[in-house]
Structure formats: structure tokens, C-alpha cells
Amino acid sequence: NAGVMQNPRHLVRRRGQEARLRCSPMKGHSHVYWYRQLPEEGLKFMVYLQKENIIDESGMPKERFSAEFPKEGPSILRIQQVVRGDSAAYFCASSQQRNTEAFFGQGTRLTVV
Amino acid sequence: KNEVEQSPQNLTAQEGEFITINCSYSVGISALHWLQQHPGGGIVSLFMLSSGKKKHGRLIATINIQEKHSSLHITASHPRDSAVYICAAPSHPSNSGYALNFGKGTSLLVTP
């Protein structure tokens, strides 16, 4: 089991472009969480998904950000029309069930230039 | 929203010392989490605990539900323990899983 895989590890986008961040959960895990860590700040919860469903998106910015976790394939965090303030490390975590231990990916470092 | 406070913010210790990091939260919860973030940025979940005490190697986590307080202890600290330690709690009492509010972290440096 390769663990939670995030790709790309580093992503550079120009202002106005779209960023797509992928998270492949551990085998057998159907719960995925996304977090954002802005430079010099703590982690912030963004969204919690279970296969094909968004369970909690209370931490997602209202515009430009969306997330999905399709029946097949990785979970995707999509940021449209990126701005410099979106530059951050984005982490995902997966768990087998809602209340079981979650494992974190290595993160994607997004830089908007 | 569950406010999570950690102390100290920064901590320097000599190898072998016993280390304590404290965490308090404002809203009753089902479970509290301790995470470790390495200098390279990777995050590891250390503990998820809802009562009492848990031990893993040289790490011990305790929680007092009534006082809304948790501590992370490291015995016989080692330079490889140098990392940021983060406390996190569910944002709402009815929440579970990893929809969390995070503390700002404690940056630990253990010197030889």
C-alpha cells in the first residue's frame, strides 16, 4: 500500500489559470479530507468528501474552489482563476471510515506567479 | 467554532529532556488529534484520543475531557523529534472524523 498519494508535489500557475490537485487515497479508504496551509499560518480544513458525495464543505472559499471524489479515480481539488493568495500547501488525508485514523499525503505546493 | 490553543509556540530542548506541549479547546468534542509536521512538510497523525491516555513509543498523549485540555509528552527527546506538533479538534461537537480546527502548532527543536 503506497499510502496517500498527492500529485503534483509542486505546481506553478500564472494568475488567472486553473489549478487541479489530485489525491489518491489509500486502498480501501473512501473518506477524503482537504486542508490548506498558507505560508506562516496553520492548517485549515477545507472539505470532507466520501465517494461521490460532499459531506462538509464549510471550509471551502465560496468562489473559484471546488472538490470532487468520483466513484472511480482520485479526488480532485480544483481552483479556477488562481490569484497570488492561493499560493499555499494543500494536503489531503484519507480514512477508511469517518471515525478511524486518517493518513496524510505529502502535500501539493502551489505557487501562483 | 472550536478554538484550539497551543503552548508553547516554540520550544528548544536538549537531547534527553522530557517535553510537554499543551493544548486547550473551547467546545466539547468526541476526539482530539495530535499531528506531527516534519521540516520537509509531511504530516503524520500521531494520536486520536477521546479519553485518558495513549502511548506510542516515547510519545504519550493525555486528555481531560472535563477541563478541555490535552498534553503531548515526549520522553528522552532526540534530535529526530524536531518538528512542528499540531493539536486539532473537531469544529463542532457533533462532528467527527477529520473536519478539524487546528492549533497554530508548537515548533520543537531538540539539540544534541
Side-chain angles (χ1 to χ4, degrees), chain A residues 5-76:
Chain A
M5 302 300 292
Q6 288 189 249
N7 65 81
R9 291 290 305 277
H10 299 275
L11 181 62
V12 179
R13 284 286 177 266
R14 295 186 183 279
R15 280 179 296 170
Q17 290 185 319
E18 179 180 286
R20 279 182 176 246
L21 287 62
R22 294 174 189 78
C23 171
S24 296
M26 287 180 70
K27 188 177 180 181
H29 287 193
S30 59
H31 298 252
V32 166
Y33 304 83
W34 284 94
Y35 308 92
R36 177 165 69 172
Q37 188 172 39
L38 292 166
E40 307 303 322
E41 291 191 22
L43 284 160
K44 302 275 190 232
F45 165 74
M46 298 182 75
V47 62
Y48 165 27
L49 309 106
Q50 190 182 359
K51 281 289 187 181
E52 300 184 273
N53 292 305
I54 296 174
I55 307 299
D56 182 345
E57 56 181 348
S58 58
M60 285 282 268
K62 294 287 186 283
E63 298 177 349
R64 302 188 297 107
F65 285 72
S66 62
E68 62 177 8
F69 188 16
K71 188 176 179 182
E72 302 290 338
S75 176
I76 306 286

Side-chain angles (χ1 to χ4, degrees), chain B residues 56-98:
Chain B
H56 185 247
R58 294 180 294 104
L59 300 177
I60 303 166
T62 63
I63 189 168
N64 184 319
I65 296 292
Q66 286 73 31
E67 295 187 3
K68 299 186 180 64
H69 181 270
S70 175
S71 294
L72 177 69
H73 305 286
I74 305 176
T75 62
S77 59
H78 190 276
R80 65 174 174 266
D81 297 325
S82 298
V84 176
Y85 293 84
I86 303 167
C87 170
S91 53
H92 189 274
S94 63
N95 282 4
S96 54
Y98 280 70

